[in-house]
Amino acid sequence: MTVLKFANLSLLALYPLAWFAPLMRAGILPLFGMSEISVISGLQSLWRSDIFLALLVTCFALFAPYLKTIGLALVHFRIARKRLLPALEVLGRLAMADVFLIALYVVIAKGMGLGRVETAWGLYLFTACILASLAIGYLTERRSGLPPVTR
């Protein structure tokens, strides 16, 4: 359980890094420079154009994964009860939805052929953080002795 604790605590530092890391580079035409897009810069753009969508993405990309990580830390250090684990699994699924949304944007932008979109290291880091959080939650649930959450 100690390894799970430290892996989970490392996510508290890795998530903010992933939010500011470049997810992709996008450019209108090959002649112009590529601008880097991160979770934070994307959210800033969304707040100017569509507040409702910005709220949803903020919940999925920032709050859901971070709250899940904090919740798992509370369970690991026996501050919260293990009954919290099913709710934390739901938060993990909501966070994963954001990764799929970003991947969908990349596929759509590449398919339109109007510009260039290249994935950057931040997309891999963000995806790895979400997947690590899901794995940590799953292993914590298995070791807790609670019955598995029905799907």
Side-chain angles (χ1 to χ4, degrees):
M1 196 66 129
T2 304
V3 173
L4 291 177
K5 284 181 189 179
F6 290 117
N8 188 57
L9 290 176
S10 70
L11 290 175
L12 292 174
L14 290 173
Y15 273 125
L17 177 63
W19 296 332
F20 287 94
L23 296 174
M24 63 185 92
R25 291 177 202 84
I28 301 298
L29 294 172
L31 301 175
F32 298 108
M34 305 281 276
S35 61
E36 291 185 340
I37 300 167
S38 68
V39 171
I40 298 299
S41 68
L43 281 172
Q44 289 171 338
S45 296
L46 275 177
W47 279 107
R48 288 189 290 266
S49 61
D50 189 345
I51 293 175
F52 180 72
L53 185 58
L55 280 170
L56 282 175
V57 173
T58 300
C59 287
F60 289 159
L62 303 181
F63 296 142
Y66 217 68
L67 287 174
K68 180 187 178 194
T69 304
I70 291 170
L72 278 173
L74 294 175
V75 171
H76 287 154
F77 289 98
R78 299 173 193 243
I79 298 169
R81 295 187 178 174
K82 294 176 183 178
R83 292 186 302 182
L84 184 61
L85 291 174
L88 296 176
E89 183 178 345
V90 171
L91 282 175
R93 288 181 184 172
L94 290 175
M96 195 61 204
D98 196 57
V99 172
F100 290 125
L101 182 65
I102 293 168
L104 181 65
Y105 287 152
V106 170
V107 169
I108 289 171
K110 283 186 174 188
M112 291 176 67
L114 295 175
R116 283 183 35 199
V117 176
E118 299 172 356
T119 56
W121 65 272
L123 179 62
Y124 301 109
L125 176 61
F126 186 62
T127 304
C129 287
I130 298 293
L131 291 175
S133 179
L134 288 172
I136 292 166
Y138 175 74
L139 292 172
T140 301
E141 188 175 322
R142 286 199 60 200
R143 292 182 181 183
S144 73
L146 290 175
V149 177
T150 58
R151 285 160 176 73

